[in-house]
Amino acid sequence: MNRNWSIFNIVSVVLGFAFLYLPIVLLIVYSFNASKLVTVWGGFSTRWYSEMLSNQGLMDAAWVTFRVGLLSATVATVLGTLAALALVRHTRFRGRTLFTGMVYAPLVMPEVITGLSLLLLFVSVGFERGFWTVSLAHITFSMCFVAVVVQSRLVSYDMSLEEAAQDLGCTPFEAFYKVTLPVILPAVIAGWMLAFTLSLDDLVIASFTSGPGATTLPMKIFSQVRLGVTPEINAVCTVLIGLVATGVIIASLINKRKMVREARIDSKV
Amino acid sequence: MKSLGSTRRSFTPWLDKETKPYISFQNVTKKFGDFVAVDNLTLNIYEREFYSLLGPSGCGKTTLLRMLAGFEEPTSGEIFLDGVSLKGVPPHKRPVNMMFQSYALFPHMSVRDNIGFGLKQAGIAKAQITERVDAILKLVKLEEFAKRKPDQLSGGQRQRVALARSVVLRPKLLLLDEPLGALDKKLREETQFELMDLQHELGLTFMIVTHDQEEAMTMSDRIAVMDKGTVIQTGTPAEIYEAPNSRYVADFIGTVNTLEGKVKEKAAGKVKIVGKDGFTIEAATTDQFALNTDDTAWFSIRPEKIKVSRSKPDKQTNAVEGEVWDIGYLGDMTLFNVMLDSGTIMRASVLNAKRTVDDPIGYEDRIWLSFEPDAGIVLER
Ligand SMILES: Nc1ncnc2c1ncn2[C@@H]1O[C@H](COP(=O)(O)OP(=O)(O)OP(=O)(O)O)[C@@H](O)[C@H]1O
Ligand SMILES: [Mg+2]
């Protein structure tokens, strides 16, 4: 491989990263701005962070988002894991292709369509929109992400482990609970993190499916920004970025550790 | 009385019509799609028996064990355990344990927890679990590795953990799928004897799959030789070796010379066969011998039952001349590959009973091979 980086390479990499991360860096920097004007640097201050904390509307939205995230991620993880198990274990049931397609379709479905169709469903059923509808919507779309993550782990999982457990006296459920689940747990946790992050991020679907009293943080930010960007919003966004980044890093670390371990097993066989 | 060699123990429940089989496969067929993995198989195994399945890769050995353990249901036919049909009984309710060919060790548990898993599942007291796991760890020589995870073990060590995990439960019926394949010769032989002792002491029934015929011969009460989903012959190791029922079995176990010929004279207890290789064979037969004159038959004889000499033996039949083609010195015996004038190669082995030989046979020497009428067996298929 050519290790001498050409000028062109360096420039394109720098430009690319700048394009990706400069706005975020700016946002973080300006969240520590003492000035009220967003684009004028007035010295360092953590004033906007304390103001953010005392903004009741913002805090309420954060609390809603957190609860929705927790609930939807957990339910989506359970359902997604079950779907992945069904897909891997029963390789030849009738309508498997259709089922697979249906599990994965939400991955590529435009969010607007998901949101709109869910809204129509809730309206026609007469569901009052609010916390529960947002949570349900988030479960629906993040479940398939969990299924993908867990399935990729299950593909390399030796199903005879479960048979061995049954042979040693476990019922099928015990075999899953005592052997399969602990082995695939890293993938399940990674799936949960992903689902939580997705729920935290989502604006479009929440806008469609939420109702009064259940404004999520992205919705709140979006509506505030329409009235003008304040340094307070910068502070909120910085916190959000921090949370998401942590989640992603932990999830990838878990996956990485698993891969390193598998590589070690492979090299020994 | 003449008998086929010495046996390890006088244990022959299969000869007794009164004894009920412990396991009974009755017309069991297993299909995977259109592929027939086990074909209309009927088989009886008796309590306390050490039963081996021997056969080429893909002949259905693992499938047979999996049906007993409950991971596959027969497509047709039925399996009985102690007289009770196993139809629909889930794996965890069968008094059977299986050691998997792929080991199937739990990667998230230590060696100790792997071995203790079944005991814990059975609700046995902690102190007793520790005691039994310790004992079995000692048996498979893995005491120092108790705290390791399976991925920190070598292949042979993993195999021993898998063996220990199934043996520690002392099930009435133990199914072992190639339990010793990854062990070195010395450890394998030791473990073989440990297994035999264990089986004897605890009165267990063992069904074991192996690719190693010597292993099957050493350990088994009976061996079943399989091919393409069917059992070709069942019998004691001596029966399988000395009285194979077909060329397939004769060829599968040990080395054998098979000479094709036509039945010429048939009398009570003996037959004359004119071989393709231009010499006449006079062989002893049993009462069941069913071939008629001019039928094709195969005379099968083991290398160690052939006499090698430089001079022409003093008999009209059962002797043939050839040229030494190859010599293999094994220490305890020497193998001679001899090319007959017809082009067929026959193998003879000579026990090296003395340290020195006066007139050693060399390459390209012309020598005579001869044998007694009952040294070989006439096969009909
Ligand atoms: N689940 C399955 N689906 C389809 N075919 C199968 C399945 N399990 C086994 N077979 C086929 O059945 C045949 C018998 O397999 P089995 O595992 O019993 O062989 P074996 O005698 O144990 O071979 P080996 O000595 O290599 O372990 C093989 O040809 C195999 O391909
Ligand atoms: Mg097998």
Side-chain angles (χ1 to χ4, degrees):
Chain A
M1 207 175 82
N2 185 8
R3 288 188 149 261
N4 297 326
W5 288 48
S6 68
I7 300 281
F8 177 77
N9 267 340
I10 295 174
V11 169
S12 56
V13 166
V14 168
L15 278 182
F17 273 107
F19 189 71
L20 275 175
Y21 289 105
L22 202 58
I24 295 177
V25 172
L26 272 180
L27 186 143
I28 294 172
V29 168
Y30 276 110
S31 73
F32 294 104
N33 192 356
S35 162
K36 205 175 172 60
L37 294 167
V38 177
T39 46
V40 181
W41 185 250
F44 180 85
S45 145
T46 52
R47 161 184 167 202
W48 300 111
Y49 285 88
S50 49
E51 232 163 79
M52 165 191 91
L53 287 176
S54 55
N55 181 338
Q56 195 54 47
L58 219 49
M59 284 300 105
D60 283 347
W63 179 232
V64 167
T65 304
F66 182 70
R67 272 161 48 218
V68 168
L70 220 55
L71 176 68
S72 65
T74 308
V75 178
T77 303
V78 173
L79 294 180
T81 305
L82 290 179
L85 279 170
L87 284 176
V88 172
R89 201 165 299 180
H90 305 288
T91 44
R92 276 197 302 188
F93 63 89
R94 272 172 78 97
R96 180 175 188 273
T97 322
L98 185 68
F99 184 65
T100 315
M102 273 161 57
V103 169
Y104 292 145
L107 282 176
V108 291
M109 188 81 77
E111 287 188 322
V112 182
I113 295 179
T114 313
L116 187 63
S117 54
L118 282 167
L119 173 65
L120 289 178
L121 173 76
F122 293 141
V123 171
S124 64
V125 178
F127 235 29
E128 195 184 328
R129 281 176 294 141
F131 173 79
W132 292 106
T133 47
V134 183
S135 302
L136 267 179
H138 281 185
I139 290 166
T140 324
F141 89 91
S142 55
M143 186 191 110
C144 57
F145 289 89
V146 177
V148 172
V149 174
V150 175
Q151 196 191 3
S152 67
R153 172 69 187 92
L154 277 175
V155 166
S156 64
Y157 174 73
D158 179 8
M159 280 298 167
S160 65
L161 291 190
E162 240 176 54
E163 289 180 346
Q166 288 184 37
D167 191 61
L168 296 169
C170 288
T171 62
F173 176 74
E174 280 177 314
F176 171 75
Y177 175 74
K178 290 185 178 169
V179 175
T180 307
L181 189 59
V183 175
I184 63 165
L185 195 61
V188 174
I189 294 176
W192 188 92
M193 297 283 228
L194 188 62
F196 187 73
T197 314
L198 286 170
S199 166
L200 215 62
D201 279 350
D202 169 66
L203 169 66
V204 179
I205 293 174
S207 307
F208 275 106
T209 53
S210 173
T215 310
T216 65
L217 198 53
M219 288 166 70
K220 185 80 185 165
I221 293 170
F222 191 66
S223 65
Q224 278 206 12
V225 167
R226 275 192 296 193
L227 307 174
V229 180
T230 63
E232 193 184 341
I233 293 294
N234 286 349
V236 176
C237 292
T238 305
V239 172
L240 265 183
I241 290 169
L243 279 178
V244 171
T246 319
V248 170
I249 289 170
I250 292 177
S252 64
L253 278 184
I254 290 172
N255 258 329
K256 179 103 172 222
R257 240 191 43 190
K258 182 202 89 195
M259 264 155 60
V260 169
R261 251 189 53 177
E262 268 171 15
R264 246 192 17 219
I265 296 172
D266 288 346
S267 67
K268 277 195 177 166
V269 169
Chain B
M1 191 194 105
K2 271 198 180 176
S3 115
L4 297 172
S6 318
T7 46
R8 183 158 64 88
R9 50 179 185 161
S10 52
F11 175 79
T12 52
W14 51 88
L15 295 179
D16 182 6
K17 289 274 175 290
E18 299 291 296
T19 315
K20 289 227 162 51
Y22 184 54
I23 302 156
S24 178
F25 284 79
Q26 294 190 356
N27 305 94
V28 171
T29 296
K30 176 69 193 176
K31 289 184 187 166
F32 294 107
D34 285 337
F35 181 79
V36 184
V38 173
D39 192 4
N40 194 20
L41 181 135
T42 298
L43 195 72
N44 288 325
I45 298 168
Y46 294 83
E47 204 160 3
R48 294 163 177 260
E49 191 173 355
F50 202 122
Y51 197 89
S52 294
L53 293 176
L54 214 51
S57 187
C59 70
K61 306 179 295 289
T62 300
T63 309
L64 214 58
L65 295 195
R66 287 175 59 82
M67 285 195 284
L68 254 183
F71 303 122
E72 309 279 1
E73 279 290 327
T75 313
S76 67
E78 224 168 328
I79 305 171
F80 295 89
L81 189 117
D82 222 356
V84 182
S85 170
L86 284 177
K87 205 172 211 142
V89 180
H92 64 276
K93 293 224 175 100
R94 300 187 181 200
V96 174
N97 280 113
M98 175 159 167
M99 175 192 163
F100 287 73
Q101 196 171 9
S102 62
Y103 314 154
L105 299 178
F106 306 134
H108 61 298
M109 293 182 195
S110 67
V111 167
R112 171 175 291 283
D113 291 343
N114 259 288
I115 297 175
F117 187 88
L119 295 170
K120 202 170 150 198
Q121 198 61 32
I124 290 170
K126 251 210 174 98
Q128 215 182 337
I129 295 182
T130 315
E131 194 181 308
R132 274 170 75 171
V133 172
D134 280 339
I136 210 86
L137 277 171
K138 194 159 168 235
L139 186 83
V140 295
K141 305 198 171 49
L142 284 174
E143 294 118 308
E144 308 120 79
F145 301 97
K147 290 208 182 71
R148 296 231 194 145
K149 293 272 172 66
D151 61 358
Q152 298 163 324
L153 298 175
S154 75
Q157 289 165 342
R158 267 183 251 168
Q159 191 167 41
R160 279 178 279 158
V161 178
L163 180 63
R165 189 177 67 177
S166 54
V167 167
V168 75
L169 290 164
R170 303 173 194 159
K172 292 266 297 183
L173 172 60
L174 191 56
L175 309 174
L176 304 173
D177 202 345
E178 295 192 31
L180 311 174
L183 307 186
D184 60 64
K185 194 163 191 274
K186 186 160 167 286
L187 193 56
R188 186 176 343 169
E189 279 170 6
E190 280 174 25
T191 318
Q192 279 170 12
F193 283 106
E194 299 284 7
L195 275 178
M196 278 149 62
D197 285 350
L198 196 80
Q199 189 239 3
H200 197 70
E201 266 167 44
L202 301 176
L204 310 179
T205 309
F206 274 31
M207 199 165 165
I208 175 170
V209 169
T210 170
H211 273 294
D212 181 345
Q213 352 161 337
E214 212 174 296
E215 183 173 296
M217 302 284 252
T218 322
M219 298 203 285
S220 322
D221 292 312
R222 277 192 306 162
I223 299 174
V225 181
M226 291 183 66
D227 185 31
K228 299 194 190 100
T230 56
V231 171
I232 308 289
Q233 187 177 7
T234 339
T236 62
E239 280 165 5
I240 297 277
Y241 187 79
E242 301 291 5
N245 68 0
S246 59
R247 279 177 293 155
Y248 179 82
V249 175
D251 211 28
F252 196 81
I253 309 285
T255 331
V256 74
N257 298 295
T258 306
L259 304 166
E260 192 180 327
K262 288 237 183 307
V263 176
K264 268 286 145 350
E265 279 168 37
K266 200 179 151 193
K270 64 179 182 187
V271 66
K272 247 187 197 157
I273 296 173
V274 177
K276 265 192 168 170
D277 301 293
F279 73 107
T280 307
I281 298 162
E282 201 181 299
T285 57
T286 58
D287 302 338
Q288 284 97 40
F289 189 70
L291 292 183
N292 292 316
T293 313
D294 282 342
D295 282 350
T296 304
W298 290 270
F299 181 73
S300 146
I301 183 165
R302 304 274 179 198
E304 72 276 11
K305 296 185 177 70
I306 295 177
K307 201 167 158 254
V308 173
S309 61
R310 278 197 181 275
S311 53
K312 186 175 188 313
D314 179 24
K315 51 175 136 189
Q316 295 303 308
T317 59
N318 297 3
V320 65
E321 198 183 11
E323 186 182 311
V324 175
W325 194 251
D326 219 339
I327 300 177
Y329 176 74
L330 300 185
D332 55 348
M333 59 168 72
T334 305
L335 304 179
F336 294 97
N337 279 353
V338 179
M339 188 187 274
L340 308 185
D341 295 338
S342 62
T344 306
I345 294 201
M346 274 184 80
R347 171 174 288 187
S349 63
V350 175
L351 196 67
N352 295 328
K354 289 193 203 147
R355 287 178 54 236
T356 52
V357 188
D358 288 338
D359 176 23
I361 292 168
Y363 281 92
E364 297 181 6
D365 286 359
R366 284 192 76 79
I367 57 168
W368 282 88
L369 304 176
S370 59
F371 44 86
E372 296 303 316
D374 65 351
I377 185 161
V378 184
L379 301 173
E380 301 170 31
R381 57 179 171 136

